[in-house]
Amino acid sequence: LIPLAEVTLHLPIEVADYVDFYASENHATNIGKIFRPDGEALTVNWKHLPIGYHGRSGTVVVSGTDIIRPMGQRKAPTDAAPVYGPSVKLDIEAELGFIVGDGTELGKPVGIDDAADHLFGVALFNDWSARDIQAWEYVPLGPFLGKSFGSSLGAWVVPMEALAIARVPLPQQDPEPLPYLKGSGASLFGLDIRLEVRINGTLVSSPTYAGMYWSPDQMLAHLTVNGASLRDGDLFASGTISGAEKNTRGSLMELTWNGQEPLTLDDGSTRAFLQDGDTVTVTGWAPGLDGSRIGLGEVVGTIAPAHGSTPPRT
């Protein structure tokens, strides 16, 4: 065995296209309450289709790569006009990334019962998010610069076959999905995968993937239903993994409720959002045969200062 500290990690795939979904009902509900306090937490389409956005594959980096604090526009509700500068609400999103193999032809959707033929495996994923930039830009077209500055992918891909024991039923889907998202029903599944999120060594959250509303098969079927083609090395992510309990929320936005309830780390310092120099480590495992555990490795990133600017501490 070679110690991890003595090796250089590389991206396990050359990322072709990248899509990020929004598959946790708990996460979507929390974010809706924060961003739209006077409206419905879930948008009217959320339980009818797996919502997602097309991200920037060129900024997916391997675990261990520093994340430079992004610059951009932000405008708080109380501000008269937007300002430009480094993000002051830099966040994490603990997710699973699904690796696609066996490309398809343009114009030929992948049926949900065939989705398994294109799912190779999973890796841990952290979709870093600048919440202040995101909140100002996301209406009406969704995430853009608040997401595209960097996303971290674990260096280990666990094949789907290795996770056979970890398959669990999906939560009840109501209303019933349209036929293209239901198929025979045999391919729909959740995954019993347990994550842990640490900031500078302090355990701040323990998300569980088993409660995710949409199946990976449904996400892949929806991704291609319009005829979009797949390529070897395509990556789609689950969206933030959050449970019903506070200690299972997979983002600081939820854990601190948009900074109103800061976390206390083991060294006595507090965090509403990430500070420069903070190191975030996400680890995970799934049950295997005979009581064994299948490790998913880790995905790690450290926040570096914004280029040409010293951001305020939050």
Side-chain angles (χ1 to χ4, degrees), residues 67-71 86-88 90 274-276 303-307 311:
I67 299 297
I68 299 172
R69 184 179 296 272
M71 303 283 288
S87 170
V88 296
L90 189 53
L274 296 173
Q275 296 182 3
D276 289 351
I303 304 303
H307 282 307

Side-chain angles (χ1 to χ4, degrees), residues 56-146:
R56 191 172 182 86
S57 60
T59 57
V60 177
V61 297
V62 70
S63 173
T65 305
D66 285 354
I67 299 297
I68 299 172
R69 184 179 296 272
M71 303 283 288
Q73 284 194 32
R74 62 181 188 272
K75 180 184 178 299
T78 54
D79 292 342
V83 297
Y84 170 77
S87 170
V88 296
K89 289 188 174 182
L90 189 53
D91 199 358
I92 61 176
E93 291 197 346
E95 307 189 18
L96 277 188
F98 293 88
I99 312 300
V100 174
D102 194 9
T104 60
E105 293 182 27
L106 185 64
K108 293 187 176 181
V110 174
I112 195 162
D113 292 323
D114 298 321
D117 295 336
H118 301 271
L119 286 173
F120 174 72
V122 303
L124 294 176
F125 192 74
N126 186 348
D127 184 32
W128 308 88
S129 300
R131 298 299 189 184
D132 44 357
I133 296 173
Q134 178 186 358
W136 174 231
E137 73 179 2
Y138 88 114
V139 178
L141 292 182
F144 183 33
L145 301 181

Side-chain angles (χ1 to χ4, degrees), residues 129-238:
S129 300
R131 298 299 189 184
D132 44 357
I133 296 173
Q134 178 186 358
W136 174 231
E137 73 179 2
Y138 88 114
V139 178
L141 292 182
F144 183 33
L145 301 181
K147 299 279 192 175
S148 62
F149 58 92
S151 301
S152 297
L153 181 67
W156 292 270
V157 179
V158 178
M160 297 304 296
E161 288 83 353
L163 297 173
I165 300 297
R167 291 194 175 205
V168 295
L170 284 180
Q172 182 178 358
Q173 295 183 325
D174 183 21
E176 185 175 288
L178 292 173
Y180 82 94
L181 288 172
K182 185 177 179 182
S184 67
S187 65
L188 303 183
F189 64 94
L191 290 169
D192 180 10
I193 293 178
R194 326 287 178 87
L195 305 184
E196 291 187 337
V197 181
R198 289 176 169 82
I199 299 177
N200 301 338
T202 299
L203 178 65
V204 297
S205 181
S206 301
T208 56
Y209 191 87
M212 299 292 273
Y213 189 87
W214 294 104
S215 168
D217 303 80
Q218 291 174 315
M219 289 185 264
L220 186 59
H222 185 67
L223 190 159
T224 64
V225 71
N226 67 344
S229 57
L230 298 176
R231 293 189 288 174
D232 291 338
D234 276 358
L235 168 68
F236 69 90
S238 62

Side-chain angles (χ1 to χ4, degrees), residues 2 27 36 44 67 86 139 145 161 164 169 178 265 267 294 314:
I2 300 174
H27 173 68
R36 299 181 299 276
V44 294
I67 299 297
V139 178
L145 301 181
E161 288 83 353
L178 292 173
L265 304 185
D267 63 3
I294 299 171
T314 60

